[in-house]
Amino acid sequence: MANAVEKSCTMLVYNDKQASATEIKEALEGNDPLAKQAAMKKAVSLLLAGEQLPQLFITIVRYVLPSEDHTVQKLLLLYLEAIEKTDATGKLLPEMILICQNLRNNLQHPNEYIRGVTLRFLCRIKEEEILEPLVPSILANLEHRHSYVRRNAVLAINSIYKLPKGELLLADAPEMIERILRQEQDLSTRRNCLAMLTNNAVDRAIRYLLDSVDQLATWGDLLQLSALDLIRKACRSNPGEKGKFIKTILLLLQSPSPAVMYECAVTLTSLSSAPSAVRAAANCFCSLLSSHSDNNVKLIVLDRLQELKEKHREVMTDMVMDTLRALASPSLDIRKKTLDISLELITSRNIDEVVSVLKKEVVKTQNKEYDKAGEYRQMLVQAIHSCAVKFPEVAGNVVHVLMDFLGDANTASALDVIFFVREIMETNAKLRPNVLERLHTIFYQACGIRTSRVVSCALWIMGEYCSNTAEILAALSTLKDSLGSVPFLTDPAEGEEGAGAASNSTTAALVMGSKRPAVLADGTYATQSAVAEVSSGGGVTGSANAGGPNLRSLLLGGDFFLGGVIAGTFVKLLLRLSALREVPASQLNNLYAEAMQYVVATLRLGESAGSTPTPLDADSRDRMLLCLRVLAGQDTWSNAVWLGDCRSAFALLTTEKQKEATARNARDDARAAVQPDDLIDFQVLKNRKGLSQLEVEDEVTSDLARATGYAEAVAAASSRLNRVLQLTGLSDPVYAEAVVTVHQYDIVLDVTVTNRTTETMQALCLELATMGDLKLVERPQNYTLAPGDTKLIRANIKVSSTETGVIFGNIVYEGTGYSERSVVVLNDIHIDIMDYISPAYCADVQFRNMWAEFEWENKVAIATTFTDVAAFLQHIISTTNMKCLTPPSALEGDCGYLAANLYAKSVFGEDALVNVSVERTQPTVGAPGAAAGQDGGRLAGYIRIRSKTQGIALSLGDKITLMQKAPVTTAAA
């Protein structure tokens, strides 16, 4: 059936076993009600599956219509809804007259359930010939004693009045419904009456609403929600009258129903931008946030608060403490979103209160019963870090509290703390002595720092910021106590001679205690006694257990990168102590000798085979040997690097981060400029007669929004023109073009179809299909186009993931005098991944953590005509719509090599990580560029993409592969 359009269906029935029409007919002719129910269900299932059962109609009329069983009667109505009621020409079938008589009997049935389900059935009937003789019975049910019948009678009248000839069938329906609305006591019936007036007679509905404002608070939540729908529709049709509804919305905000409160707040923010109205809506959202227990509701409310923050930041700054009450929720998603919103609302007036709340939350995470304490503590540390960056004066209040978590088992949380401490040491010189003292104390604690990366950063802080003699000597003492005695490794012969019976017994205990069978890689059994004896004979004087000094334990565990950090810390401390010239030469020489002894002991430990789980790497060995030469006075040329350049590099990095954060905030706070010819509004000269303060504020803010939104409207119009896609050729009988608009999870296609022939096109249908994670929402409809006529057809498509999709289809129509339908094939519409992702920012630590965590990687080889690495990077950034996280200072210069990190976030919350590593190779001899005296080298390298899901990695890789081959002029354009 090429010319048939799929009909809409209001029900879905599962049917696993097909039944024949004969079996159904025999069951219907019997007297068993249960058998009739089963037979009717099978008949309805067959009809919905596309089967036509004309032979059953007379049987159903004879044996099912007279049935008194309520279930059978309801199934009969479903059957009547599913069957064809018209012939091929659209005329009503003659046998439907029998159905009309049965429906009239049901509408006059003594049982209210039969009346109610019949009225609900009539809501889905579109044939005027069936409905016209039933209108008097429907109107009579408006006076029925039971509310169930009355509310369904109102629904039936509403659906009939919407039909093309509905006003002829029910001429005075609005007056009748308004009269019933003023007299009715049942809540659902009143709600249906108000909805009917809202759809068909807005003026009557508004008059009733304004007349009933005094009783608005006593209405039920259903009726109040219907009133809000009325207000929204009235304000859309006539925006100038929204002032008289704002008081009504503010009154509804006091409703005890959470649904009404939420809808009121959303309606209020959509209608008015007055500060009083925005504040009332924000208070309502915060109240829902703290009172409602459903996490989904809280996430939705937080999204609304996020929207308010973006549009009305000045008003929302007063609500930051109310927003922070959502931190009491155990959900990490809610906590994260709450912190993100609150951190952008911090000002000098509320910073102390916010930091106080965050400190209390950090202390709560020490409770062992706290759910996901480590991850939550990491969020809080990052939030406090952001506060301290914006307002350095609060750092002293939180730094000591956070330093208690340097020994946290959660490595990410401890790293955030030590990075925060490092930045505070650079930006706040007054806190340096107290922080250094606290750092020494943590090294002495039994449950001190456990992670190598945290220890490395702490040692760097000690080496850079110990400035006077007392601090340097304290740091050296801390290092020696944390490393223990040297050597770390003793000679086996010395161990046998020097050790007594106690040592022998200890060794024996170690050997005996380790003799347990172990399964090797080949499946055989072995004991670990040999390994224990080698380690014991190797003379490891301290084991990597929790009881020993922490630095010694980490070194014995094979962390020789930390050994290089320790050697560098000794060098910095001793060079700075020598420059102060406040220590006697003999004491200074002793300190140098002890430092060299520790470095040599670390080297010896690494070069002893089998002494540590991991061998000494060449990089750490070269670093420690360099430190030895500096301590021995052989490399004095590098003293300036140790004492000045390291710290200045970190200071430059911190300054660049602060500048970037300031610029990012300035871009976020930027607003549209006012046009020079805009009207100047003087609020004090406005006519205030008969207006409340809120209405005056709303009028002024509306004028300002219209004035400042001019540039945005022009930009939106121009961007819409850029998204026009031509679907057919100019010589085709049907010309079609589409505007593609992506709204997060939805894609809207506005297709303009023009009849370019001199004949009328009948049954014109836009048939679309999708490939990828795209899904059509609506079924196609038929249209009739006159010669030269134009029709706008809108199609909605759901998007489920960030993958490149394709929309294809055709236009089918019937012309006068054609026996077959004509088909015009449309050009394919490619939905680009760039419509889903947007540039975003994340910290370097977070980028590295995600890079290590994400499992999907797409590696794209660089093959381009670009010859400049910086120009190629800018081309990749512009074509992929991503944010470059690498600071501009790291990309300066012309060394021929470049590495940069890019980041973007999709509308589905997915993260896209890109690393660009590119270098310019040496030009070949005889190359055209080299012969002309220019650089003839080409670019080589790889672009690596990582994401949590496969789709975004593959789609982004395809996009980069396609765009990197573009000529240089494309990037310039």
Side-chain angles (χ1 to χ4, degrees):
M1 299 178 63
N3 59 348
V5 179
E6 186 178 359
K7 297 192 306 180
S8 61
C9 181
T10 60
M11 56 185 142
L12 180 64
V13 179
Y14 172 72
N15 183 26
D16 56 345
K17 295 181 180 179
Q18 296 290 339
S20 64
T22 305
E23 295 176 356
I24 297 175
K25 185 176 181 180
E26 292 176 356
L28 293 177
E29 291 176 353
N31 296 324
D32 186 6
L34 296 179
K36 285 188 177 183
Q37 293 176 15
M40 289 298 298
K41 290 180 181 179
K42 294 178 181 178
V44 173
S45 301
L46 290 175
L47 287 173
L48 294 179
E51 296 289 339
Q52 299 296 327
L53 304 173
Q55 65 274 23
L56 287 181
F57 184 78
I58 300 301
T59 303
I60 290 175
V61 170
R62 292 180 59 189
Y63 296 98
V64 179
L65 285 184
S67 176
E68 295 293 334
D69 187 80
H70 290 178
T71 305
V72 174
Q73 287 295 325
K74 185 173 183 179
L75 291 170
L76 172 62
L77 296 177
L78 296 178
Y79 169 81
L80 295 178
E81 180 185 348
I83 64 173
E84 289 288 344
K85 305 174 187 63
T86 58
D87 56 13
T89 61
K91 294 182 179 181
L92 188 68
L93 295 173
E95 54 266 27
M96 289 297 112
I97 302 299
L98 301 174
I99 301 302
C100 293
Q101 182 61 37
N102 178 72
L103 294 176
R104 184 185 295 109
N105 294 337
N106 284 351
L107 292 176
Q108 298 171 359
H109 199 279
N111 184 274
E112 60 272 6
Y113 174 76
I114 297 297
R115 292 196 183 200
V117 295
T118 305
L119 289 167
R120 291 296 295 267
F121 162 72
L122 293 178
C123 294
R124 300 186 289 271
I125 298 300
K126 308 301 180 185
E127 290 77 16
E128 289 87 352
E129 294 87 349
I130 297 177
L131 295 172
E132 186 174 2
L134 301 178
V135 169
S137 300
I138 296 174
L139 296 178
N141 282 294
L142 291 174
E143 307 295 335
H144 195 272
R145 59 180 177 82
H146 204 284
S147 60
Y148 176 71
V149 178
R150 297 196 301 270
R151 76 173 70 126
N152 287 304
V154 175
L155 289 177
I157 292 174
N158 185 25
S159 62
I160 294 173
Y161 198 77
K162 290 180 181 178
L163 296 177
K165 298 181 180 179
E167 295 184 6
L168 300 177
L169 295 176
L170 295 168
D172 57 346
E175 295 86 346
M176 187 184 311
I177 294 298
E178 183 182 4
R179 185 176 66 253
I180 294 174
L181 178 58
R182 295 182 181 273
Q183 299 173 357
E184 182 61 48
Q185 299 298 323
D186 180 65
L187 182 62
S188 298
T189 307
R190 296 172 65 191
R191 182 260 175 199
N192 293 344
C193 290
L194 187 58
M196 189 271 176
L197 293 178
T198 301
N199 295 329
N200 304 294
V202 180
D203 295 337
R204 294 179 179 273
I206 292 175
R207 184 167 62 247
Y208 171 75
L209 178 63
L210 297 179
D211 293 343
S212 306
V213 169
D214 296 337
Q215 293 102 18
L216 198 60
T218 61
W219 289 5
D221 52 353
L222 291 177
L223 195 55
Q224 290 176 342
L225 291 174
S226 183
L228 287 173
D229 291 337
L230 169 62
I231 293 174
R232 283 193 289 264
K233 184 173 182 179
C235 293
R236 281 196 298 267
S237 59
N238 192 357
E241 296 184 358
K242 65 179 180 179
K244 61 183 179 182
F245 294 114
I246 293 180
K247 292 181 180 179
T248 305
I249 299 175
L250 293 177
L251 182 63
L252 288 174
L253 276 177
Q254 310 303 322
S255 173
S257 172
V260 176
M261 293 174 59
Y262 174 80
E263 291 295 335
C264 280
V266 172
T267 305
L268 190 60
T269 55
S270 64
L271 296 182
S272 175
S273 300
S276 302
V278 174
R279 191 174 295 108
N283 281 322
C284 179
F285 285 138
C286 292
S287 176
L288 290 173
L289 203 58
S290 58
S291 61
H292 215 281
S293 59
D294 191 350
N295 288 342
N296 294 323
V297 173
K298 290 186 177 182
L299 289 172
I300 293 173
V301 172
L302 287 172
D303 288 337
R304 301 290 84 77
L305 288 174
Q306 176 78 16
E307 295 174 0
L308 283 182
K309 174 190 66 68
E310 294 174 356
K311 297 179 180 178
H312 311 282
R313 185 184 300 271
E314 296 82 3
V315 179
M316 286 297 297
T317 53
D318 298 333
M319 309 299 301
V320 62
M321 297 305 297
D322 296 325
T323 307
L324 285 174
R325 286 189 291 179
L327 293 177
S329 173
S331 172
L332 287 180
D333 294 332
I334 294 176
R335 289 169 171 170
K336 185 177 185 304
K337 188 168 288 190
T338 302
L339 290 174
D340 292 341
I341 294 173
S342 302
L343 290 179
E344 297 182 12
L345 299 175
I346 295 176
T347 62
S348 57
R349 294 179 299 170
N350 56 26
I351 180 63
D352 294 332
E353 297 176 347
V354 172
V355 171
S356 176
V357 172
L358 296 179
K359 284 173 59 178
K360 292 179 181 177
E361 292 294 322
V362 169
V363 174
K364 289 180 183 178
T365 58
Q366 292 178 330
N367 189 354
K368 295 182 179 180
E369 299 178 356
Y370 214 76
D371 188 23
K372 297 181 180 179
E375 299 177 21
Y376 182 39
R377 188 183 306 120
Q378 184 181 359
M379 292 182 191
L380 293 172
V381 171
Q382 293 173 354
I384 294 175
H385 189 176
S386 301
C387 295
V389 170
K390 294 180 181 178
F391 301 93
E393 62 272 10
V394 304
N397 300 331
V398 295
V399 64
H400 295 291
V401 177
L402 294 182
M403 289 183 70
D404 292 334
F405 299 98
L406 286 175
D408 193 354
N410 186 358
T411 304
S413 177
L415 278 174
D416 287 333
V417 173
I418 197 64
F419 291 158
F420 169 69
V421 173
R422 183 180 63 182
E423 190 166 340
I424 291 304
M425 292 290 285
E426 174 61 33
T427 58
N428 200 328
K430 297 180 181 178
L431 297 177
R432 290 173 186 171
N434 295 332
V435 172
L436 288 173
E437 183 179 355
R438 181 78 175 118
L439 207 56
H440 299 328
T441 305
I442 292 174
F443 268 95
Y444 285 116
Q445 292 176 354
C447 57
I449 306 176
R450 310 173 186 177
T451 309
S452 173
R453 294 178 63 187
V454 180
V455 171
S456 301
C457 189
L459 292 176
W460 186 90
I461 292 173
M462 293 169 58
E464 291 293 342
Y465 296 102
C466 290
S467 55
N468 54 49
T469 303
E471 292 175 350
I472 294 174
L473 293 177
L476 291 172
S477 176
T478 301
L479 276 176
K480 289 187 289 184
D481 292 340
S482 300
L483 288 170
S485 59
V486 290
F488 302 129
L489 191 69
T490 58
D491 187 73
E494 295 178 1
E496 292 178 0
E497 295 175 359
S503 176
N504 293 333
S505 62
T506 302
T507 304
L510 289 173
V511 173
M512 294 302 295
S514 61
K515 288 186 178 181
R516 295 185 302 173
V519 181
L520 299 180
D522 57 356
T524 59
Y525 288 93
T527 61
Q528 297 180 1
S529 57
V531 177
E533 288 171 356
V534 170
S535 298
S536 177
V540 178
T541 59
S543 60
N545 53 15
N550 54 351
L551 293 185
R552 188 186 190 92
S553 302
L554 293 171
L555 287 177
L556 295 178
D559 190 354
F560 292 105
F561 176 81
L562 178 61
V565 175
I566 294 172
T569 305
F570 273 121
V571 169
K572 292 178 183 178
L573 292 174
L574 291 175
L575 288 179
R576 192 166 286 112
L577 186 63
S578 301
L580 292 176
R581 302 182 182 274
E582 297 179 0
V583 178
S586 58
Q587 183 181 357
L588 187 62
N589 291 335
N590 289 335
L591 294 175
Y592 269 94
E594 289 177 353
M596 295 173 67
Q597 188 178 11
Y598 278 111
V599 177
V600 171
T602 305
L603 286 170
R604 186 182 178 192
L605 175 66
E607 293 176 351
S608 299
S611 59
T612 56
T614 56
L616 175 64
D617 59 286
D619 192 16
S620 300
R621 182 177 182 275
D622 292 343
R623 182 176 177 82
M624 285 186 278
L625 289 176
L626 173 63
C627 293
L628 271 180
R629 288 195 295 270
V630 174
L631 291 173
Q634 299 177 2
D635 284 341
T636 56
W637 59 270
S638 63
N639 290 357
V641 177
W642 291 103
L643 296 179
D645 293 351
C646 295
R647 183 169 167 183
S648 60
F650 177 69
L652 180 62
L653 177 64
T654 304
T655 304
E656 287 186 351
K657 285 184 177 181
Q658 292 177 349
K659 290 182 178 179
E660 185 179 358
T662 304
R664 189 167 59 252
N665 294 333
R667 287 194 299 268
D668 294 339
D669 296 338
R671 297 189 177 184
V674 180
Q675 299 302 312
D677 57 343
D678 281 344
L679 179 67
I680 300 177
D681 182 80
F682 296 95
Q683 181 177 358
V684 295
L685 300 180
K686 275 194 172 293
N687 183 14
R688 297 170 178 259
K689 185 176 181 181
L691 297 179
S692 65
Q693 180 63 27
L694 179 58
E695 292 173 336
V696 173
E697 289 183 10
D698 177 69
E699 189 174 349
V700 172
T701 52
S702 299
D703 294 342
L704 290 175
R706 287 195 297 269
T708 59
Y710 176 79
E712 297 178 1
V714 173
S718 61
S719 63
R720 180 180 175 87
L721 292 176
N722 293 332
R723 297 194 301 270
V724 175
L725 300 175
Q726 184 176 343
L727 301 182
T728 62
L730 297 177
S731 60
D732 289 326
V734 178
Y735 176 76
E737 62 182 18
V739 177
V740 182
T741 306
V742 179
H743 298 291
Q744 291 192 353
Y745 300 97
D746 298 326
I747 296 177
V748 179
L749 291 181
D750 292 322
V751 182
T752 303
V753 180
T754 303
N755 181 4
R756 305 196 58 181
T757 65
T758 58
E759 298 179 352
T760 301
M761 294 182 177
Q762 299 178 353
L764 184 142
C765 180
L766 174 65
E767 298 178 351
L768 296 176
T770 59
M771 184 176 65
D773 288 336
L774 305 176
K775 182 179 179 182
L776 286 169
V777 178
E778 301 170 340
R779 296 180 176 88
Q781 297 182 5
N782 286 349
Y783 303 95
T784 300
L785 282 184
D789 196 5
T790 300
K791 180 69 176 180
L792 178 63
I793 304 175
R794 173 165 293 185
N796 294 319
I797 298 173
K798 287 289 183 182
V799 185
S800 57
S801 69
T802 313
E803 290 189 15
T804 301
V806 180
I807 303 173
F808 52 93
N810 49 53
I811 294 177
V812 183
Y813 65 92
E814 293 179 355
T816 56
Y818 294 99
S819 59
E820 296 183 358
R821 308 196 81 189
S822 301
V823 179
V824 178
V825 180
L826 305 179
N827 294 331
D828 295 344
I829 301 175
H830 293 269
I831 303 300
D832 198 354
I833 187 179
M834 297 299 104
D835 296 327
Y836 302 142
I837 66 174
S838 58
Y841 174 80
C842 71
D844 294 338
V845 177
Q846 185 180 0
F847 184 92
R848 288 193 293 270
N849 292 338
M850 290 190 293
W851 187 269
E853 177 186 353
F854 292 169
E855 57 184 3
W856 290 104
E857 177 173 316
N858 190 5
K859 191 174 182 180
V860 179
I862 294 177
T864 181
T865 56
F866 283 88
T867 57
D868 183 66
V869 291
F872 177 73
L873 176 63
Q874 291 300 322
H875 176 65
I876 294 297
I877 293 173
S878 60
T879 55
T880 58
N881 196 25
M882 303 189 77
K883 167 74 174 177
C884 182
L885 301 181
T886 306
S889 60
L891 303 176
E892 293 177 353
D894 187 17
C895 64
Y897 175 80
L898 183 145
N901 294 331
L902 312 180
Y903 178 70
K905 204 173 186 65
S906 73
V907 296
F908 306 100
E910 300 169 317
D911 300 291
L913 312 179
V914 174
N915 174 261
V916 180
S917 297
V918 57
E919 66 173 339
R920 185 173 61 246
T921 60
Q922 294 296 329
T924 57
V925 179
Q934 300 175 356
D935 188 2
R938 64 181 183 87
L939 299 186
Y942 291 95
I943 300 175
R944 299 165 64 193
I945 308 152
R946 286 197 181 185
S947 64
K948 204 168 189 177
T949 57
Q950 182 183 16
I952 190 171
L954 295 178
S955 300
L956 199 55
D958 295 341
K959 179 71 175 179
I960 292 176
T961 303
L962 180 65
M963 298 304 298
Q964 70 168 329
K965 297 181 180 179
V968 182
T969 54
T970 303

